[in-house]
Amino acid sequence: MSHAADPQPMISRSGGPLSGAAQVPGDKSISHRALILGALSVGETRITGLLEGQDVLDTAKAMAAFGAEIERVGPGEWTVHGVGVGGFSEPAAILDCGNSGTGVRLIMGAMATTPITATFTGDASLSRRPMARVTDPLSEFGAQITAREGGRLPITIQGAADPLPLRYRTPIASAQIKSAILLAGLNAPGETVVIESEPTRDHSERMLAGFGAEIHSESTEEGHVITLKGRPELRAQPVAVPRDPSSAAFPVAAALIVPGSEIRVPGVSRNPTRDGLYVTLLEMGADIRFENEREEGGEPVADMHVKHGPLTGVSVPPERAASMIDEFPILSVIAAFAKGKTVMNGVAELRVKESDRIDAMAQGLRANGVRVEETRDTMTVHGMAAVPGGGLAVTHLDHRIAMSFLVLGLGTDSPVAIDDGSPIMTSFPDFIPLMRGLGADIAEKSA
Ligand SMILES: O=C(O)C1=C[C@@H](OP(=O)(O)O)[C@@H](O)[C@H](O)C1
Ligand SMILES: C=C(OP(=O)(O)O)C(=O)O
């Protein structure tokens, strides 16, 4: 579904301390992969804790269009009867991946080595995002690809009838590029190898191994090397999706900036390839404790306990960027309340997310009285003892920008408005009730 909802202006303002438990939704990255790998497996995959955000629902629809049987059997509980590696049938209609970069890029990979044709579209945000980073390597497998000018959506892929395995060094640290290649490699003979300069989130590798593929990763002088043996028979698996650390970041941030707050966030993934924000917050002096550390569904998880307290600005090194790539918008909000400046390095990729996130954050923070400097790949936020607020932030169809500014307003002197909260449904449909349950004052606003 394209993101065509009417804009929903919203406003948030400061109130009393936040308290209680924040049950954040299932991990978005793992949810997409559970549906895709379920569709490529033989047998029934039962998924619990699936994120029922629009991004993931669009992926579910696409898997059904390729011939998998997908059923919602309860809240967050879904079954997938897959068609096996190489078993996708040709979709009858154009596949609309909505707002989701992960959805479209991984699904293009999953079908590019099967001899069927599919056309992909998305909303205005997704149609601006670069796709050649994925279609270039997919054409090396033998797929025939046509794209709009600049390698953008809509894109039509005629999958390779006789795919060749690929050895590919990713030019950008991106789990979406890596995952698209690995999914394509499933139906290529021989070994497909991806080499990345910095390790990126490793859910595809963990889950492919869980579904029975032969895959291994090693750090070498060349970089981080992932090797997949093609044409496995993937076996359906139960998948328990842990709670999303990227979604957890919003209530955590709110608790850190609203005086007197103390909240718990149970069952959040602590996968080290996703942990950069929390490493950074601890360096800033945040009062965060991880309790009851355990393993669930092949991922390390913990219960978080977060308390408001003083924070100090830090410099985030570029090599940490991949492990917190979606968390820089909310970090820039937290940084506004820290003592001194926070410098975020190596963040150029933020410019090609759902929006140009450096620009969107810089403009919205400035509109609310915060000093921000940006270069192509850095952002610097100057913290202040009291953040004025009182401004309007433009969200550009970007859920993380919308949620970041609603959190900002919980700590500012005057309320903060956003032009459109509707994109929040892509990744965190219960964000507003969850935040209100903690005591946050967030309201819809007439346009
Ligand atoms: O593989 C994934 O699930 C994701 C990878 C990241 O994108 P890139 O691979 O473009 O960095 C991230 O921003 C996105 O939200 C989810
Ligand atoms: C970048 C994001 O998602 P995607 O690339 O899947 O649209 C995100 O969720 O912050």
Side-chain angles (χ1 to χ4, degrees):
M1 191 200 84
S2 269
H3 176 82
D6 288 337
Q8 179 55 71
M10 305 196 83
I11 190 155
S12 63
R13 62 187 86 236
S14 61
L18 305 179
S19 64
Q23 307 279 1
V24 302
D27 189 84
K28 176 155 73 70
S29 294
I30 296 176
S31 294
H32 283 294
R33 288 160 172 82
L35 291 166
I36 296 170
L37 291 179
L40 291 170
S41 300
V42 175
E44 177 181 290
T45 289
R46 182 168 285 260
I47 309 168
T48 50
L50 187 86
L51 165 65
E52 293 176 333
Q54 193 58 46
D55 278 13
V56 175
L57 299 179
D58 288 335
T59 289
K61 258 201 240 158
M63 291 304 104
F66 283 113
E69 262 176 56
I70 313 239
E71 199 185 342
R72 181 178 193 263
V73 291
E77 199 171 336
W78 291 60
T79 55
V80 183
H81 287 92
V83 293
V85 169
F88 276 0
S89 49
E90 189 158 296
I94 290 173
L95 301 169
D96 186 346
C97 291
N99 189 251
S100 179
T102 308
V104 76
R105 293 188 178 120
L106 269 56
I107 297 167
M108 289 197 291
M111 61 73 58
T113 48
T114 301
I116 55 172
T117 298
T119 298
F120 298 87
T121 61
D123 71 1
S125 156
L126 194 59
S127 302
R128 285 191 292 267
R129 295 175 68 182
M131 295 295 149
R133 54 180 56 198
V134 165
T135 51
D136 284 352
L138 295 183
S139 62
E140 290 188 38
F141 279 100
Q144 302 286 320
I145 301 177
T146 48
R148 190 166 56 88
E149 215 185 304
R152 320 269 149 170
L153 296 175
I155 287 175
T156 298
I157 302 188
Q158 196 184 328
D162 291 306
L164 305 163
L166 185 62
R167 183 180 177 85
Y168 193 79
R169 171 179 281 280
T170 57
I172 307 155
S174 160
Q176 292 178 7
I177 302 177
K178 168 177 67 180
S179 302
I181 295 169
L182 292 173
L183 289 169
L186 281 175
N187 201 33
E191 285 186 341
T192 287
V193 181
V194 182
I195 305 153
E196 40 183 18
S197 53
E198 296 288 340
T200 60
R201 65 188 68 194
D202 62 359
H203 308 300
S204 295
E205 297 92 304
R206 286 173 186 255
M207 293 177 76
L208 279 164
F211 276 78
E214 250 182 67
I215 181 165
H216 63 267
S217 309
E218 55 187 335
S219 287
T220 70
E221 276 178 8
E222 259 193 300
H224 187 235
V225 181
I226 303 115
T227 306
L228 170 78
K229 188 152 181 267
R231 306 242 160 107
E233 173 158 330
L234 295 185
R235 291 182 303 272
Q237 294 294 310
V239 180
V241 181
R243 297 181 193 274
D244 195 322
S246 301
S247 297
F250 297 100
V252 166
L256 291 176
I257 66 174
V258 176
S261 298
E262 185 167 357
I263 67 162
R264 285 177 300 110
V265 193
V268 178
S269 165
R270 287 222 67 202
N271 182 315
T273 62
R274 297 285 297 281
D275 217 21
L277 174 72
Y278 299 102
V279 172
T280 304
L281 292 176
L282 292 174
E283 285 178 4
M284 294 173 82
D287 187 343
I288 301 180
R289 276 179 289 131
F290 296 93
E291 294 165 349
N292 194 14
E293 303 213 26
R294 57 202 184 271
E295 183 142 320
E296 277 176 18
E299 293 270 331
V301 303
D303 303 330
M304 298 175 69
H305 191 270
V306 187
K307 247 172 146 172
H308 171 264
L311 300 169
T312 308
V314 293
S315 178
V316 184
E319 62 276 11
R320 194 181 296 161
S323 67
M324 56 181 293
I325 195 66
D326 295 340
E327 282 68 79
F328 286 104
I330 192 62
L331 176 62
S332 69
V333 166
I334 300 169
F337 295 85
K339 186 163 181 286
K341 65 178 183 182
T342 295
V343 187
M344 299 164 234
N345 296 290
V347 294
E349 270 295 291
L350 297 188
R351 296 201 181 275
V352 290
K353 297 293 182 185
E354 282 82 331
S355 66
D356 176 340
R357 288 180 170 166
I358 297 181
D359 204 52
M361 288 311 300
Q363 296 212 30
L365 285 168
R366 285 181 195 129
N368 285 286
V370 183
R371 210 173 116 213
V372 184
E373 285 131 25
E374 57 177 291
T375 67
R376 192 189 61 81
D377 68 346
T378 68
M379 175 159 61
T380 301
V381 175
H382 296 264
M384 48 212 309
V387 181
L392 170 74
V394 181
T395 58
H396 304 282
L397 289 182
D398 190 329
H399 54 130
R400 299 208 194 274
I401 302 301
M403 290 187 279
S404 295
F405 282 109
L406 289 176
V407 169
L408 176 74
L410 303 177
T412 46
D413 293 344
S414 301
V416 170
I418 61 170
D419 66 331
D420 186 10
S422 65
I424 295 171
M425 70 175 182
T426 60
S427 71
F428 200 158
D430 288 334
F431 174 73
I432 305 292
L434 180 145
M435 295 301 293
R436 285 184 183 149
L438 299 174
D441 185 346
I442 302 180
E444 294 184 357
K445 190 170 162 278
S446 44

